[in-house]
Amino acid sequence: MYVNQIKKERENALKNYVASMALEKKIAQMFIENLEGCTSFRSYETVGAMTGTKDDTPLVAGGYIFFSFNIAPDREQMKIFTQSIHSYCDEYGIIQPYLCIDQEGGWVSRLKKLNPRLPSNEAVAKNYNIKETYQIYREQAEGMKELGFDMNLAPVVEVCTEDNEKFLDGRSFGNLKQVTDYGRACINAYENNGIATVLKHFPGNTNTDPHTGLPEIALSKSELEQSIESFRLLVQYNPAAVLMSHARTNAIDEGVPACLSKVWVTDILRNQFGYNGLIFSDDIFMGALADNGYPPETAVVRAVEAGIDCIMISEKRFASAGKVLYQRALQDEAFARKIDEAVIRILKYKIEAGLLDGKKIL
């Protein structure tokens, strides 16, 4: 009873803290964007660019994704770069962003020059047992943490089939048992060693590259439910986040990309699967979305309405997209509440990750 009371008090304290935040600061927390270079960090946008005012306070996203050109040539320079982000935010009193990277293994290994070699998911499942797998990912986690990263946009936990094997190209552990067994070892190894995991891509993909066209999953409802079983099982191990795909499914919420679908994001992943962590959109600047009627200014609103917490943008600027949400929230109380709910989850993660001092809030 006492434990439940403390939990309730902490939840209320966090809700009150978020309610007291300026709207533009809440919205900034919801974006994860790319960043410039690999030497020293600074913001290239101001709060005024979102609010339409002359406020020249630096605008910093809730999270940053590092691509290959953001990886320094050696470990020491990499640590200096990530530390420059923390120093910059401390200087301006900004909530620390989480720093994430795609370190899946195989050909998707952003840290291949800095961390130990990481085999693809397919190779791991073929060549290592579960205990060895845990050690492989533990070693990766320790190296990532030392470099200043907080989150890995991995593992891919889609089951490999004829419909997606060309697109996945070694990124799947294999069949359902392999995906759940090896996926669990991967999640536990990273999460136990200070690196948040992001399961992807829910509810799946086809051999269509989502950078060029929206994948169309033509499975029946029963087949579709079976194909997402790996996600239902693995969210029980409390990964920090799940990343939605751009795929459209004929059997469920037909015609709507999953990352913009309330049915997929809230009704199924959040409510049916009971998942309480962060839910990421895939990159809303992918051309396939715009080509199918969802330009970024439309996609950001649809994402929030669907229940997305973190909006991924591969661009290095997010103020224009944030401005759309800012104006909408000023006019729509229900929409503003959705933003609050997302930010509560984001800050809860940041407290647990040591990016935000919970004692000042709770």
Side-chain angles (χ1 to χ4, degrees):
M1 188 71 174
Y2 180 66
V3 173
N4 289 337
Q5 181 181 345
I6 293 177
K7 182 179 179 181
K8 188 67 174 178
E9 289 175 352
R10 289 178 175 175
E11 289 176 352
N12 289 335
L14 184 54
K15 287 180 181 178
N16 291 336
Y17 179 84
V18 170
S20 71
M21 291 174 64
L23 178 58
E24 61 271 18
K25 292 184 178 180
K26 298 178 190 179
I27 292 172
Q29 286 300 309
M30 295 184 68
F31 282 91
I32 170 173
E33 67 166 350
N34 187 218
L35 67 175
E36 300 277 358
C38 62
T39 55
S40 182
F41 176 84
R42 74 174 179 86
S43 170
Y44 289 85
E45 297 185 289
T46 65
V47 168
M50 182 192 298
T51 61
T53 65
K54 295 182 179 181
D55 189 339
D56 62 357
T57 303
L59 187 63
V60 173
Y64 286 94
I65 178 171
F66 288 62
F67 294 137
S68 296
F69 50 80
N70 302 125
I71 306 304
D74 58 67
R75 292 184 64 85
E76 192 58 36
Q77 182 58 49
M78 191 75 251
K79 287 188 279 188
I80 291 172
F81 183 35
T82 55
Q83 183 55 51
S84 75
I85 301 173
H86 297 308
S87 298
Y88 186 92
C89 292
D90 282 342
E91 179 182 352
Y92 288 97
I94 297 170
I95 295 174
Q96 292 289 342
Y98 52 87
L99 309 182
C100 70
I101 194 166
D102 277 304
Q103 182 71 356
E104 297 177 14
W107 61 273
V108 186
S109 296
R110 301 283 187 258
L111 295 175
K112 58 187 175 184
K113 294 182 180 179
L114 303 184
N115 254 20
R117 176 182 171 274
L118 180 60
S120 69
N121 286 359
E122 181 180 68
V124 167
K126 285 183 177 179
N127 300 312
Y128 300 92
N129 62 35
I130 298 301
K131 184 176 180 180
E132 292 167 337
T133 296
Y134 184 95
Q135 295 305 319
I136 288 170
Y137 292 124
R138 176 192 59 77
E139 181 180 49
Q140 287 293 318
E142 291 174 347
M144 293 173 72
K145 194 69 179 175
E146 184 182 344
L147 291 172
F149 292 101
D150 308 292
M151 180 182 289
N152 190 5
L153 294 172
V156 173
V157 296
E158 295 171 62
V159 172
C160 188
T161 69
E162 291 182 359
D163 293 329
N164 64 19
E165 62 182 347
K166 291 181 181 179
F167 169 70
L168 291 178
D169 192 17
R171 299 164 72 194
S172 170
F173 289 112
N175 61 34
L176 178 60
K177 179 170 174 49
Q178 289 171 313
V179 169
T180 51
D181 288 349
Y182 284 90
R184 179 177 67 249
C186 181
I187 292 166
N188 289 338
Y190 280 116
E191 297 279 353
N192 291 347
N193 290 280
I195 296 294
T197 51
V198 183
L199 306 193
K200 62 186 189 185
H201 313 78
F202 185 72
N205 277 289
T206 67
N207 287 321
T208 298
D209 187 337
H211 293 85
T212 60
L214 293 182
E216 302 282 353
I217 299 176
L219 301 175
S220 67
K221 187 174 181 180
S222 61
E223 291 171 331
L224 187 56
E225 289 171 346
Q226 180 59 31
S227 76
I228 61 175
E229 182 69 2
S230 56
F231 287 93
R232 187 188 69 82
L233 294 171
L234 288 171
V235 295
Q236 299 175 31
Y237 296 96
N238 300 316
V242 174
L243 187 147
M244 305 296 299
S245 76
H246 288 324
R248 296 189 289 200
T249 59
N250 294 350
I252 297 177
D253 206 12
E254 184 178 5
V256 182
C259 65
L260 308 181
S261 166
K262 177 181 177 294
V263 176
W264 276 113
V265 176
T266 298
D267 297 348
I268 296 176
L269 181 56
R270 185 71 76 197
N271 297 334
Q272 186 178 321
F273 287 9
Y275 180 64
N276 295 315
L278 299 175
I279 301 180
F280 281 52
S281 75
D282 206 341
D283 180 12
I284 63 163
F285 269 82
M286 282 186 179
L289 277 182
D291 292 344
N292 285 275
Y294 301 99
E297 60 270 19
T298 299
V300 288
V301 172
R302 290 291 296 269
V304 173
E305 290 177 334
I308 292 290
D309 301 308
C310 303
I311 301 169
M312 185 180 293
I313 292 184
S314 58
E315 305 292 309
K316 299 176 178 63
R317 309 286 187 273
F318 71 95
S320 60
K323 187 174 184 178
V324 175
L325 300 184
Y326 183 85
Q327 293 174 339
R328 178 64 178 269
L330 290 178
Q331 301 166 0
D332 187 337
E333 289 185 11
F335 191 81
R337 285 195 297 272
K338 282 185 173 292
I339 290 174
D340 279 12
E341 291 166 3
V343 177
I344 287 169
R345 283 188 284 267
I346 293 166
L347 296 192
K348 182 180 179 182
Y349 156 69
K350 289 191 173 185
I351 291 170
E352 293 170 351
L355 294 167
L356 179 61
D357 187 355
K359 293 179 181 178
K360 295 180 180 179
I361 298 174
L362 309 178

